[in-house]
């Protein structure tokens, strides 16, 4: 006969497997439910608004008497803040990753890396008020013509927020590069810096690119920083010194409860949400492909 302890262990393992299966199925159906709601409401929206108008019109005024449904102003605002954030985070994050991977000692690395990742744990609403109350007044001293709400300030703060994502993922990719490649570079007379820039970084390029794309996805989907510091004025512009509105900011604006449920104005948030979902999904898929390529190359 099977010992009671062994029998209990098998029963416990079976229950754990059932629980894990349930959690996995729940996650899948939750995702499918989100997609279904987005698609249903978006289809309802496009029954009243032309897709061509949505993608090409240069004005976004669904809450005004003269309703216009061109998403280009929201896309330009999102694009502008994201570009600023990436321009801030990319060099700082990559240089930090190079230092942690190639220069930091085994005692320093476990200390600096967690401290750097603390930035990722700060609530985004705190970042938003930091951008509005500290960064914007500081920039206005340098650029007096800059408005109180603008794209530059939240873009810079978003860049600071996503530095840990780029730094941590890029450092992991570079740390995984075989030591033999570094030793070969040293044998050819390369300095530590030359080996890092010309050997390690190119070898980890796919992992670094994946970290950049994930950071871009994070910046595109950021809500509170731009909602607090960027203003709520949809305009088709690439001027970082004026108020703009992003896709996420508009969703927050309509979701406050002032817009009646079921109206065309209410349905716009699902159309905008679907556009945001498609953009971030595409970036995440490309990032995943790059990560898999990196694992196949050096795994």
């Amino acid at each position: 006969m099977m010992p009671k302890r062994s029998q209990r262990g098998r029963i416990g393992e079976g229950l754990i497997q059932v629980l894990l299966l349930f959690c996995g199925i729940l996650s899948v159906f939750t995702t499918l439910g989100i997609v279904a709601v987005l698609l249903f409401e978006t289809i309802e929206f496009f029954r009243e608004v032309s897709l061509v108008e949505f993608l090409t019109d240069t004005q976004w005024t669904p809450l005004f008497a003269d309703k216009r449904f061109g998403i280009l102003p929201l896309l330009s605002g999102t694009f502008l803040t994201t570009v600023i954030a990436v321009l801030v985070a990319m060099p700082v994050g990559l240089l930090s990753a190079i230092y942690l991977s190639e220069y930091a000692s085994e005692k320093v690395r476990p200390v600096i890396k967690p401290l750097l990742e603390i930035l990722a744990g700060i609530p985004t609403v705190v970042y938003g008020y930091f951008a509005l109350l500290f960064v914007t007044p500081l920039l206005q001293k340098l650029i007096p013509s800059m408005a109180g709400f603008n794209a530059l300030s939240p873009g810079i703060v978003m860049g600071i927020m996503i530095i840990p994502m780029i730094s941590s993922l890029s450092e992991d990719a570079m740390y995984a590069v075989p030591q033999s490649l570094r030793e070969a570079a040293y044998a050819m007379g390369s300095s530590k810096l030359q080996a890092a820039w010309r050997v390690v970084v190119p070898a980890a390029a796919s992992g670094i690119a994946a970290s950049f794309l994930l950071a871009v996805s994070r910046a595109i989907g950021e809500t509170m920083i731009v909602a607090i510091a960027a203003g709520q004025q949809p305009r088709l512009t690439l001027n970082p010194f004026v108020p703009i509105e992003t896709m996420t900011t508009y969703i927050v604006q309509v979701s406050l409860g002032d817009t009646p449920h079921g109206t065309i104005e209410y349905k716009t948030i699902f159309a905008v949400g679907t556009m945001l979902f498609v953009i971030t999904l595409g970036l995440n898929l490309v990032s995943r492909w790059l990560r898999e390529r990196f694992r196949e190359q050096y795994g």
Side-chain angles (χ1 to χ4, degrees):
M1 294 181 61
M2 184 182 296
K4 291 185 178 181
R5 182 174 299 177
S6 177
Q7 187 175 5
R8 290 176 181 175
R10 290 194 175 186
I11 294 174
E13 290 180 2
L15 291 176
I16 291 174
Q17 290 180 6
V18 172
L19 178 62
L20 294 176
L21 177 62
F22 173 76
C23 292
I25 294 175
L26 180 63
S27 300
V28 171
F29 276 99
T30 301
T31 304
L32 292 176
I34 293 172
V35 174
V37 170
L38 277 177
L39 288 178
F40 176 78
E41 296 291 345
T42 302
I43 291 172
E44 291 294 318
F45 170 79
F46 284 119
R47 286 179 178 175
E48 302 182 48
V49 179
S50 167
L51 178 62
V52 175
E53 177 188 356
F54 182 73
L55 296 176
T56 59
D57 198 342
T58 58
Q59 293 188 37
W60 179 261
T61 57
L63 304 181
F64 295 180
D66 181 20
K67 301 183 187 304
R68 303 283 291 274
F69 298 96
I71 199 174
L72 288 179
L74 300 183
L75 285 174
S76 69
T78 303
F79 172 79
L80 184 58
T81 54
T82 301
V83 168
I84 294 171
V86 171
L87 290 177
V88 171
M90 185 181 296
V92 177
L94 182 57
L95 293 175
S96 300
I98 291 175
Y99 170 76
L100 290 172
S101 174
E102 305 302 314
Y103 290 93
S105 65
E106 293 298 328
K107 293 183 178 180
V108 174
R109 183 172 175 268
V111 175
I112 293 183
K113 189 173 181 180
L115 290 176
L116 185 63
E117 292 175 349
I118 287 177
L119 291 173
I122 298 176
T124 55
V125 67
V126 176
Y127 277 119
Y129 282 109
F130 174 72
L132 179 65
L133 302 177
F134 180 80
V135 177
T136 296
L138 185 64
L139 292 176
Q140 285 179 324
K141 293 180 181 180
L142 302 175
I143 311 171
S145 61
M146 189 173 70
F149 294 101
N150 56 82
L152 182 60
S153 173
I156 292 174
V157 174
M158 275 200 302
I160 296 172
M161 181 189 67
I162 63 176
I163 284 175
M165 181 176 293
I166 294 179
S167 175
S168 179
L169 295 176
S170 297
E171 190 269 339
D172 290 339
M174 287 187 285
Y175 198 73
V177 172
Q179 184 64 26
S180 58
L181 293 180
R182 298 178 177 84
E183 293 173 353
Y186 297 147
M188 296 293 292
S190 299
S191 64
K192 201 174 188 67
L193 182 60
Q194 289 174 328
W197 277 110
R198 299 183 181 181
V199 176
V200 177
V201 171
S206 57
I208 294 172
S211 72
F212 287 161
L213 290 176
L214 287 174
V216 169
S217 298
R218 179 68 180 84
I220 290 175
E222 173 52 39
T223 303
M224 291 309 301
I225 297 177
V226 288
I228 293 173
Q232 296 181 358
Q233 298 183 22
R235 62 180 72 192
L236 185 60
T237 180
L238 294 179
N239 183 359
F241 306 136
V242 298
I244 52 94
E245 187 170 38
T246 66
M247 292 186 286
T248 54
T249 304
Y250 175 76
I251 293 173
V252 170
Q253 179 185 1
V254 176
S255 300
L256 292 177
D258 296 333
T259 305
H261 180 82
T263 60
I264 185 64
E265 295 88 347
Y266 180 79
K267 294 175 184 178
T268 56
I269 64 175
F270 295 98
V272 175
T274 299
M275 176 66 73
L276 185 64
F277 175 79
V278 170
I279 293 173
T280 54
L281 177 63
L283 290 171
N284 286 333
L285 289 176
V286 174
S287 174
R288 180 181 177 84
W289 175 78
L290 288 172
R291 288 202 309 271
E292 293 299 327
R293 180 182 174 186
F294 174 77
R295 288 174 183 172
E296 291 175 2
Q297 191 172 2
Y298 297 105

